[in-house]
Every structure is written in structure tokens, then in C-alpha cells.
Amino acid sequence: MPFGLSLSLIVVTGVTAGLISQVESAAAAAVATFTVVLAIALAWGCGRWGQGCAWCAAGAVALTVGAFARDTALAPVPSSIAGAAEPILIDGRLRRDASIGETGVRLELDDVRLQVMGDPPEALDRFQVLTIVNGELAAGSVGQWTAGRRVRMPARLRVPSVVRNPGSPSPTWQRLTRPFDLVATVKSAALVQVEPGTAWQEAAAAVRRHVRVVAARWLVPLGGDSAAVVTAILIGDRAGLDEAATRRLQVAGTFHVIAISGGNVAILTALCLFVFRLFIRLDQIPVLLTLVIVVAYGLVVGRDASVVRAVIAATLYLGLRLTGLVPKPINVLALTALISVVTDPLVVLDVGAWLSFGATFGLISILPRLMGDAPRGPHRNWVMAFRLVKGLFLATVAAEIVILPMAASVFMRVGVAGLLLNFVAIPAMVLAQLSGLLLIVLGTWPYFHGPASLLALTAYKATWALTGSAGLVDLVPWVSWRVPPPPVVLTTGYYAMVVLALVWRGRRWVERGAVGAATACACLIVTAPWAPWQRPAPGWVRATMIDVGQGEAIVVQFASGHVLLVDAGGSAGRFDVGGRVVTPALWALGIRKIDWLAITHADVDHAGGAMSVAGDLPPVEIWEGVPVPAQPLMGELRRVAQASGAAWRRLQTGHRVELDNAVIDVLHPLIPDWERRGVRNDDSVVLRLRIGLVEVLLTGDAGPEFEQPFTRSDSSSPIRILKLGHHGSRTSSGEDFLDRYAPTIALVSAGQDNIFGHPSPVVMGRLARRSIDVFRTDHDGAVVIETDGREAHVRTVTGRSLVVTTVSPAATRPPVLP
């Protein structure tokens, strides 16, 4: 194995081990010091022993680097800042140009200094802060918030929450991989002060602004998303892309072509070399000029990790070409990985890096084996044309072989759409990039109006083909499908067999066996047959309150095999709570189908994730309470229901569903006497589940209109579990209602450190005075309740547990404090 590749593998493995393990950084440093000293001592006259010790020393040093990087990334926010009641003064540098989002204008900051009013500023260089600027002035101020400039503003800070659910990544992993350490909110753009950046930063911002202006001038009149797509391909600015088009490209597996990566930089490099060699005979001068342009391009586009990796690779290749060397692609890839990890150890946890390096490795190592030797003989031009088409197809196959488990683990989606669509998407991207580059250069000059019009039309047609080709997944949905993340053992086995097939040089049957084993692992990854192993025990019912942050989603798995999902969480931003949080949790619980999806009411924190969940696990029926005709969320969900063939049922008081050992009763809402123009919490659907002697009351966001007339029936079960209304708000769970219902256990679904203060301390005090055990998602993560109708077993992802029986539960167990 080449030295560079061996060193890169050892460093990457060591850094990864340091990041994900619990090894103390001080202990790792001591071991690294010992191995380095030992390697130096054995370097003379010890042959293989000295070389082996040197490799061990490199691994130990990498382990130490990873451990220190982990400790730095996980260091807590100073308490004076995290617990500040007043706004914090933020001073930071913009990482990239501001962009307009659904909740306000996004500013991404690093090199941050934070100051509590009256205290000296505290430098937090390692922190990255996402700032949301609200107010009417924000959108008009986007142009002055460009990468490299420093901004200063008062803001309210919070630490991004993590979710703790069955099957979700560990909280440590989520904190290490999240893009921001803090989230800040600014009331108005008028509070933001701006300082200019350096000369080259201002020049780079001017170039990006020019690209946006020229692309908009020529392509917006042609319609569609062509201007946004060309801007995304040229400078990586995807803020203008339509969300529906973005999602369609992601589902189709062709989103990579509009994200700046090695392919875009390679096209730019090849174009520059081709043009310069038309006019310059010497080899070094075109290479040098191309190197300057590639580096300048990287500085203009910004500091996205994918751009940095691509520019490093191109710089290595061109720099070695200047010395007269023609480096092997695998060595360039290895050195790029080594430099990336040394400069930023956390890159080993970056999904984008996995995909970039994995796909490139597939093209370098697997594609040549699939292609075979170039044929010779008559009709060579036709043969080579066929070989070109074959190469494009097999290049996609080679990349997919490497990234298949990554796509299944991270994006929870696999498919064969990319194998076909790349025949359109990749040529369309190349054409859009080339025509877009020329349009940016010529579109400014009135003398080139004719060529610029032709270039604009070419770019428009190319982007239309690129985005339109993704419509294949709408016509043929089965070419792309969602899958649960595969077990680590299965992923490890798959990669072990792929590597064995690549490096084995002995008997052919070993290589063929490795290929067969890798194929079997791939079949398991795309089918996920392990779901039944995670379902409740026969005769038991499981109710799980999923941790969805500031929202609500509760799933009930009945002994009969039926599944009821009550709400699906959601958020106001672009993060897909349904697809990224709820669906994976359902998979981890062994759920592959939903019989009933009940939406208590159409607030986004209850219904926002329903569209994704209904698309991933199409329900048989969708239940709604009081309809709100003007509410767009329910309109979108109804369209999903029509597409999947799900029945739509409207619930009201008195409806009942009877199962083998359980009954579902609808206690609220009553039939409305006027048409609702907006969503009301008191219109929430309230469901009562009875399983033998155990009762669960799910109240949505219902408040006094449900609680005040409520009376507990004489046949009420002795074990009563209440899900507090409106996330524990003080407007729900009143004193009289708690006295009448007398729950044994209370459940609260609320986000960590949410801005609403849920659950209310007043409500928590009411529960404490009644010695009611409280389980809450912001403290405990997901809460799982399992019952056979005689007793209830409660456990949480964080380790809390409780068993309640029908024999004097309060006397047989101490109360669990909220």
C-alpha cells in the first residue's frame, strides 16, 4: 500500500477513534508521547520493528488530536452566557453571505466574542453561531451582510437542543456534528452594526454579487429556477432554490450536481487548462495560471467544507504538475484527506466529507475494474462512444457501491434513480456551469448581447433538464425509497467485504466470495428485514412519546398489530422533523406501517411533520378534528392522503374504535357551530386509550373548554396516565381537572430550554403537590410505556424507569420528582 495512503488511513482512523471514544485526552497524550519516544529510539537498526512503532506513534498522536478536538467541541457554554436573562452582545465574523430563510435572515458567525451587559467580553473563537435577524428591515439589509465582514448586535442566545429517541444518534454525536454551537435571535436589522472586511474579502463579495445580478438579469425573465440553479452551481449559493425542487433533487439522488464539489472544480480546472493551452505552448505556464484561478475561485466562493476539499485536491494536483510530476489520483485523494483532517479533525464526522471521499474513492478504485481494458479493432470510434456511455453508468455504480451504507445511515434513502438520471443530470450540470461562466463574463458587456442571449438560453435549458429529470421519482416512485439506518455491524461487514474484494490478490474464489457477501449485505441494507425483532411482546401495548423538541408526537402499538400515531411534530424552519426524527423513531420501534394518523389540530408543532411521515409510512386512515379550511398544512396532508389512497376521517365526541384488548374513545371536540378561520388549541382532538386496567389520556393542546366540563367515568381505570395539554402550559392542567382525573403519571412533551417556558412551573407545582410522577421529553428524552392491561412499565431513553401496578401504587414506590 502506498505510504501516503497508509499514513492517511492511520491518521483518519486515529482521529475518529479519539472523537467517538471516551478516552481521556490527557491519557491519550501520555500514550502518544511514549510511542513517539519509543519510535525514535527504535528508528535506528530495528528494521520492521522501528517502522511498526512509527505507525503506532502516528496513530497515537492522531488519537490524541481527536480526543482534544472532542473535548474542545463539547466544552459547555459559559454559565454566565447560557443562563443570561438579558440579551447578549455578539461580535463575530460572517462565515458566508446572509440568506433569507423562512424564520428570518440567517447570519452564520465564527471568531465570536460574547459580552453580558456590564461584563468584559469573552472570546469564544471555537464557537459558531447561527443568528436569525427578524423584522421588516432584515430582508432589505441582506446585501450588506457579506462573508468576511464583522457584525455586532444584541441578541438572545440558546443552545441548540438534541433529540433522544430510540434509534437516534447519541447526544454526544449530535453535538459533535451539529453545524452551530449557539443560536441567536435579533429583533431588528437596525440593531446590527457592520464593519467592512479586508480588501480581498470585499472584492470576493463583489464578485459573488455580480454573479447573482447577472444571473438574475438574464435568467429570471426566462422563468423557472434557472437563475437560482446557476447561482448554486457557480458560487454555491442555494438560498434562492425552491424548497420543492430541492427536495425532489434530493429524493432523485442528483442534488450533488448543484452543490459545489470536486466535480465543479475539476470542470473549471479542465476548462482553464484547455483554454490556456490553445495559446501557450509551454506546459508549466497554463498549469500555473490554472492554479491561480482555482485558488482565487476558492477564495471567492467561500469557506464551505466541500469547496475547501476540492480546492486542496486541485492545488495538490496542479502543484505537483508544476514540478514535472504526474501524481496518482489515489495519492492526491489520500493527501487531501490528510490535510483536511490535520486542519480540522472534526471533518472525519462530516457527512459531506464521507460522500465526497467515498464517491471519489469508488471512481478511482472500483471504476477501472468495472470498465476493463479498452477494446481494439474496427469501428473504434463507435466502440469508444459506447464505452463513454458505459463509463458514465458504471461511474455512478462505482460511487454508489461506496456510499450506499452512508446514504442509508444518514439520509435513510436508497434507490436506483441516480443510475438513470445521472445520464441527464451530469451533462446538464456541465453545460449549465460552462454556459453560466461565460454568461457571467459576457453578460455585462452590451457588445455581446447576442452571444449572452444564446448562453442564457443554453443555461436555462440545461437547468430545466437538470431539475425536470428529477420528476422521474414522481412518475415512478419505486426508483427511490426510504430505509431504516442499517446496524453498525452490517455496515462494517459490507465495507470489510468491499475492501477484501479490492485488495485480494490470491485465489479468485476468495474475491468472488467477498463480492457475494458484500452483495448480500447490500440486499439487507436496502430491505431492512429486522423490523419485527423490535416490536412489543405478544399481548402488550406500547405507547411512546417521541422527543421532537418543542412539539408533540405519540405512537401507540397495540397488541393486535395496529399502530396509531397521534401528531408528528414539526417546526417553522426547513428542518424536516417528520422525516428526520419521527420516522426514524418509528422504524427503531419496529413500525413499518401506520393504520391511523391522528392530527389533534393543525399547529405546525403538531402537524408539520405529518406530510413526511405519511409519505414514508402511508397510513390507512388520517383523522382530523375541527376542520380549518384556510390552513395550508392540512391541505398539503390531504393531497398526500389522496396520492397514497388513505381514507380521511373527521372525528368528534363519541366516536370509538374497539380492538382485541383496547378501546380508543374520542372525548373532544364537539361538533363546531361555526366555520373556523384559524387553528384553536381548544379544538384539539382528545383521545382516551383503555387497555384493561390502564388508561392513557392524550389531550393535544386542549385547555379549559375540554377540562372544565370533563368528568371521570365510574368505570375509569385505576392506572391513569395523563399527557398534559399544551406542553404543560399554565392554561391547561387546571387544579380542578387534576383533582377530578387524579392521574398516576403525567407526561410532558416540550423542547429543551424552549422560549415559551414549557412546562410552566405553576403546573409542575400542581403535580408535585399531588405526588404525580412526571416524565418529560426535555429532561428524559423519549418516554416508553408498555402495559399488558394489569401494570404499566415506564422507561426513558435516558435511563429512568418506573413500574406501576394496580395494587396500591403510591404505597409500593416512592414518587418520582419532576
Side-chain angles (χ1 to χ4, degrees):
M1 185 180 292
F3 173 80
L5 181 58
S6 300
L7 180 61
S8 297
L9 288 175
I10 290 174
V11 170
V12 169
T13 303
V15 170
T16 304
L19 284 169
I20 65 177
S21 68
Q22 300 298 320
V23 63
E24 295 288 341
S25 54
V31 173
T33 303
F34 172 77
T35 54
V36 169
V37 172
L38 184 62
I40 294 174
L42 296 177
W44 290 274
C46 292
R48 292 180 178 272
W49 285 99
Q51 184 180 7
C53 236
W55 288 127
C56 290
V61 171
L63 177 71
T64 304
V65 171
F68 275 102
R70 177 203 63 210
D71 293 344
T72 301
L74 296 179
V77 180
S79 58
S80 60
I81 293 173
E86 298 298 325
I88 304 293
L89 193 61
I90 302 178
D91 186 330
R93 180 184 294 109
L94 288 163
R95 286 177 51 84
R96 54 175 55 89
D97 296 346
S99 60
I100 300 176
E102 295 181 4
T103 57
V105 174
R106 294 167 53 97
L107 307 180
E108 300 179 18
L109 310 178
D110 61 7
D111 188 18
V112 175
R113 292 190 291 270
L114 303 179
Q115 181 179 6
V116 179
M117 301 302 182
D119 294 341
E122 185 165 359
L124 299 174
D125 297 337
R126 67 175 182 83
F127 278 77
Q128 296 183 8
V129 181
L130 170 63
T131 304
I132 305 297
V133 183
N134 298 315
E136 298 180 353
L137 301 177
S141 304
V142 168
Q144 62 178 313
W145 297 328
T146 58
R149 292 183 174 180
R150 295 199 68 88
V151 292
R152 183 180 175 90
M153 64 209 126
R156 293 192 177 274
L157 290 176
R158 65 178 177 86
V159 179
S161 61
V162 297
V163 297
R164 294 157 294 180
N165 289 310
S168 68
S170 68
T172 299
W173 181 274
Q174 293 180 61
R175 287 194 290 269
L176 286 173
T177 56
R178 65 190 178 192
F180 307 105
D181 301 289
L182 294 169
V183 177
T185 305
V186 182
K187 289 185 176 180
S188 172
L191 302 175
V192 182
Q193 303 175 23
V194 184
E195 296 179 6
T198 61
W200 70 264
Q201 289 171 336
E202 293 296 313
V207 173
R208 294 192 299 273
R209 189 180 304 112
H210 174 74
V211 170
R212 297 187 187 98
V213 170
V214 174
R217 180 193 309 162
W218 287 97
L219 296 175
V220 168
L222 298 178
D225 295 327
S226 56
V229 173
V230 169
T231 303
I233 292 174
L234 294 182
I235 60 173
D237 181 4
R238 298 189 292 272
L241 288 174
D242 178 69
E243 185 175 355
T246 299
R247 185 175 295 258
R248 191 179 299 111
L249 289 169
Q250 290 171 338
V251 171
T254 54
F255 182 73
H256 62 92
V257 299
I258 64 170
I260 290 185
S261 60
N264 304 82
V265 176
I267 292 171
L268 177 64
T269 303
L271 176 64
C272 292
L273 287 174
F274 174 77
V275 172
F276 289 140
R277 282 172 176 167
L278 291 177
F279 304 99
I280 303 174
R281 294 287 184 181
L282 296 176
D283 185 59
Q284 280 77 8
I285 294 179
V287 172
L288 178 61
L289 293 175
T290 301
L291 177 60
V292 172
I293 290 177
V294 168
V295 173
Y297 177 74
L299 294 176
V300 168
V301 170
R303 296 167 54 188
D304 281 345
S306 60
V307 177
V308 173
R309 289 191 296 269
V311 171
I312 289 174
T315 302
L316 284 172
Y317 175 80
L318 294 171
L320 292 172
R321 285 292 302 272
L322 282 176
T323 65
L325 300 175
V326 181
K328 293 182 178 180
I330 191 66
N331 292 332
V332 174
L333 180 67
L335 287 176
T336 302
L338 183 61
I339 294 172
S340 300
V341 172
V342 169
T343 55
D344 180 13
L346 291 177
V347 76
V348 301
L349 304 181
D350 182 6
V351 176
W354 298 355
L355 297 175
S356 296
F357 286 112
T360 305
F361 179 80
L363 296 176
I364 294 172
S365 301
I366 300 178
L367 179 60
R369 294 185 174 222
L370 298 178
M371 289 290 294
D373 296 330
R376 297 181 181 276
H379 309 293
R380 190 168 182 272
N381 292 335
W382 289 99
V383 172
M384 294 307 295
F386 171 76
R387 186 172 172 81
L388 179 63
V389 175
K390 174 186 174 183
L392 182 57
F393 176 78
L394 292 181
T396 305
V397 173
E400 289 292 338
I401 288 175
V402 179
I403 69 174
L404 173 64
M406 302 179 196
S409 300
V410 178
F411 304 112
M412 293 163 281
R413 181 174 293 279
V414 296
V416 296
L419 300 177
L420 301 175
L421 294 181
N422 277 335
F423 281 104
V424 177
I426 292 178
M429 182 274 290
V430 173
L431 189 58
Q433 181 176 358
L434 295 178
S435 58
L437 282 171
L438 294 174
L439 177 64
I440 298 305
V441 174
L442 301 180
T444 308
W445 306 94
Y447 303 103
F448 298 103
H449 186 276
S453 299
L454 180 60
L455 290 169
L457 183 61
T458 302
Y460 168 74
K461 293 295 184 180
T463 56
W464 175 84
L466 173 59
T467 56
S469 63
L472 176 68
V473 296
D474 296 327
L475 299 175
V476 192
W478 53 264
V479 297
S480 176
W481 63 95
R482 295 264 284 173
V483 294
V488 175
V489 174
L490 183 59
T491 299
T492 304
Y494 175 85
Y495 281 123
M497 293 299 101
V498 170
V499 172
L500 179 60
L502 288 174
V503 303
W504 185 259
R505 292 296 181 267
R507 296 179 182 272
R508 292 294 301 273
W509 67 266
V510 176
E511 180 181 351
R512 292 171 181 171
V515 172
T519 303
C521 291
C523 292
L524 292 175
I525 289 172
V526 301
T527 56
W530 52 83
W533 307 342
Q534 301 148 333
R535 291 174 184 166
W540 285 69
V541 175
R542 178 195 289 161
T544 304
M545 182 168 64
I546 301 172
D547 180 8
V548 293
Q550 184 60 24
E552 191 166 301
I554 299 172
V555 62
V556 185
Q557 298 166 267
F558 294 97
S560 60
H562 293 85
V563 175
L564 166 66
L565 176 62
V566 182
D567 291 329
S571 65
R574 287 194 172 188
F575 182 73
D576 183 7
V577 174
R580 302 293 295 172
V581 177
V582 179
T583 296
L586 298 180
W587 281 330
L589 293 168
I591 297 171
R592 292 297 182 271
K593 69 178 184 67
I594 298 174
D595 294 281
W596 308 297
L597 171 57
I599 305 300
T600 59
H601 62 303
D603 278 347
V604 68
D605 58 331
H606 290 251
M611 279 70 69
S612 293
V613 175
D616 296 333
L617 303 168
V620 178
E621 291 185 358
I622 296 180
W623 298 349
E624 100 173 306
V626 177
V628 182
Q631 223 294 329
L633 279 178
M634 298 306 287
E636 294 177 17
L637 183 58
R638 187 179 286 273
R639 286 190 289 273
V640 172
Q642 292 172 348
S644 63
W648 192 276
R649 188 179 299 275
R650 187 169 298 169
L651 301 183
Q652 62 188 49
T653 303
H655 285 171
R656 165 175 285 199
V657 176
E658 296 184 0
L659 302 171
D660 290 344
N661 66 339
V663 177
I664 307 172
D665 287 310
V666 181
L667 305 185
H668 193 73
L670 299 171
I671 300 176
D673 50 9
W674 80 90
E675 182 179 286
R676 303 292 196 253
R677 295 187 177 181
V679 179
R680 300 173 68 245
N681 288 338
D682 272 315
D683 284 338
S684 292
V685 172
V686 177
L687 301 176
R688 180 179 61 200
L689 316 178
R690 283 184 175 174
I691 308 99
L693 301 177
V694 178
E695 178 176 303
V696 182
L697 188 63
L698 306 178
T699 58
D701 279 355
E705 288 189 20
F706 162 71
E707 294 181 357
Q708 290 175 0
F710 174 83
T711 56
R712 195 179 80 196
S713 64
D714 295 335
S715 60
S716 180
S717 304
I719 300 178
R720 292 175 295 279
I721 301 173
L722 170 66
K723 199 287 301 177
L724 298 188
H726 199 196
H727 317 285
S729 166
R730 64 186 303 166
T731 59
S732 301
S733 309
E735 300 271 8
D736 293 340
F737 172 71
L738 293 176
D739 289 336
R740 290 194 300 272
Y741 189 61
T744 311
I745 297 172
L747 308 177
V748 185
S749 182
Q752 302 168 30
D753 301 320
N754 63 85
I755 61 176
F756 307 101
H758 295 159
S760 167
V762 174
V763 173
M764 300 307 291
R766 295 170 188 166
L767 301 174
R769 289 193 296 272
R770 292 166 174 80
S771 298
I772 299 172
D773 296 326
V774 180
F775 292 85
R776 40 194 288 189
T777 56
D778 58 337
H779 288 179
D780 303 310
V783 181
V784 181
I785 303 167
E786 294 182 316
T787 178
D788 62 351
R790 296 184 296 273
E791 58 186 26
H793 295 229
V794 186
R795 55 185 170 86
T796 71
V797 170
T798 56
R800 285 182 61 194
S801 62
L802 178 68
V803 177
V804 184
T805 66
T806 56
V807 182
S808 303
T812 59
R813 57 182 171 78
V816 181
L817 298 178

